[in-house]
Amino acid sequence: MTHYRRDHTPGATWFFTLNLADRRSRLLTEQIALLRASFRYAMQRHPWNIDAIVILPDHLHAICTLPPGSADYAQRWRLIKTEFSRALPQGEQVSASRSSKGERGIWQRRFWEHRIRDEEDFARHVDYIHHNPRKHGHVERVADWPWSSFHRYVKSGILPRDWAGREDDLSHDVGGMVMAFAALYAILCSVYRMRWSEAIPIKKAPAIAGAFSFNASLSRCWGRRTAPPRGWRAAASAG
């Protein structure tokens, strides 16, 4: 049996995905005030920087940077999930396994994390986060989704308000598919600890690697910029 081993690099920046147990639920947006309070609760006890975030009805994505020397992101998410669940009335479906351990059935037990490697990786995941509500069909324009750090980026002058909001901007759909494939493959390689050349026949590996470069180009086109402005991460975080 393969055991998943998380990366625990101190002070790193991470991309996270957390899902509700019931993917048909809309709890996260219906209880947005409670979710915000849960984030504040965790931040007061274990501070970290939230560089980008989007809240959808049944899941959330976030990019977070831990303080120097700290690597315990799991504790922070545990506090957020526990505080959120504790304030909700009982009534959700709970498995026998969870019930025997006194657990609620609000969140999926696990979450996905990916350590951000460089500025381009950071920019690509920020774009993915901000485009997510449009990708799932919740809005036609990114600016119309209220629970997103996109508005902070606009206020800071990093992105225009009409970013990814034009009906003829089809690059999102193509780029989203490429990114979804790349993210899934990265997860599989992380789980099974395989190198690209071990997981894919050598003749196919360059084509897969090229998809990342292609997607990075699309990412820059989405924001209609050639490169992230100098100091944009600090500006976005401070906004």
Side-chain angles (χ1 to χ4, degrees):
M1 178 180 178
T2 301
H3 295 279
Y4 179 69
R5 292 174 291 177
R6 296 193 184 277
D7 188 336
H8 292 284
T9 303
T13 298
W14 304 86
F15 169 80
F16 297 101
T17 298
L18 284 80
N19 297 305
L20 293 180
D22 182 0
R23 296 305 301 272
R24 299 166 300 177
S25 173
R26 304 184 63 86
L27 265 181
L28 296 185
T29 50
E30 290 175 352
Q31 298 289 341
I32 192 67
L34 175 57
L35 184 61
R36 284 173 174 152
S38 302
F39 269 86
R40 286 194 297 269
Y41 177 86
M43 291 278 284
Q44 289 168 359
R45 287 154 180 78
H46 300 279
W48 62 352
N49 196 67
I50 299 177
D51 301 298
I53 190 169
V54 66
I55 309 297
L56 278 79
D58 64 334
H59 70 282
L60 66 86
H61 300 291
I63 297 177
C64 305
T65 301
L66 274 72
S70 176
D72 197 356
Y73 50 76
Q75 183 182 40
R76 289 165 168 83
W77 286 122
R78 184 164 53 249
L79 283 174
I80 292 168
K81 292 163 71 174
T82 300
E83 190 69 10
F84 182 78
S85 299
R86 182 182 294 137
L88 294 172
Q90 299 274 354
E92 76 277 7
Q93 186 175 356
V94 183
S95 67
S97 173
R98 288 193 173 201
S99 180
S100 65
K101 298 176 182 178
E103 297 179 4
R104 296 290 300 269
I106 303 296
W107 298 90
Q108 289 185 8
R109 279 176 171 169
R110 300 186 70 86
F111 57 85
W112 291 113
E113 89 282 351
H114 161 76
R115 181 161 59 87
I116 300 297
R117 310 298 179 183
D118 51 34
E119 287 293 329
E120 188 169 284
D121 196 23
F122 182 89
R124 185 166 58 245
H125 283 83
V126 168
D127 285 355
Y128 179 81
I129 284 174
H130 290 159
H131 186 251
N132 212 244
R134 189 171 183 236
K135 169 191 169 187
H136 286 284
H138 295 300
V139 290
E140 292 185 0
R141 302 187 312 152
V142 169
D144 293 336
W145 189 253
W147 304 295
S148 169
S149 58
F150 171 76
H151 304 285
R152 188 174 66 190
Y153 278 63
V154 171
K155 184 178 179 181
S156 299
I158 298 169
L159 292 174
R161 182 170 175 76
D162 64 347
W163 181 88
R166 299 176 299 164
E167 292 182 0
D168 61 342
D169 190 358
L170 301 180
S171 63
H172 293 278
D173 300 323
V174 179
M177 288 188 291
V178 173
M179 178 171 287
F181 171 79
L184 176 60
Y185 204 89
I187 289 168
L188 292 175
C189 286
S190 175
V191 171
Y192 291 102
R193 287 296 184 271
M194 294 185 297
R195 297 187 321 211
W196 287 90
S197 58
E198 294 172 334
I200 306 176
I202 292 298
K203 291 183 179 179
K204 295 183 180 180
I208 300 298
F212 282 93
S213 300
F214 172 66
N215 187 62
S217 299
L218 281 177
S219 179
R220 288 191 288 270
C221 290
W222 293 352
R224 294 188 292 283
R225 52 184 167 80
T226 56
R230 187 178 299 277
W232 75 305
R233 291 178 61 174
S237 301

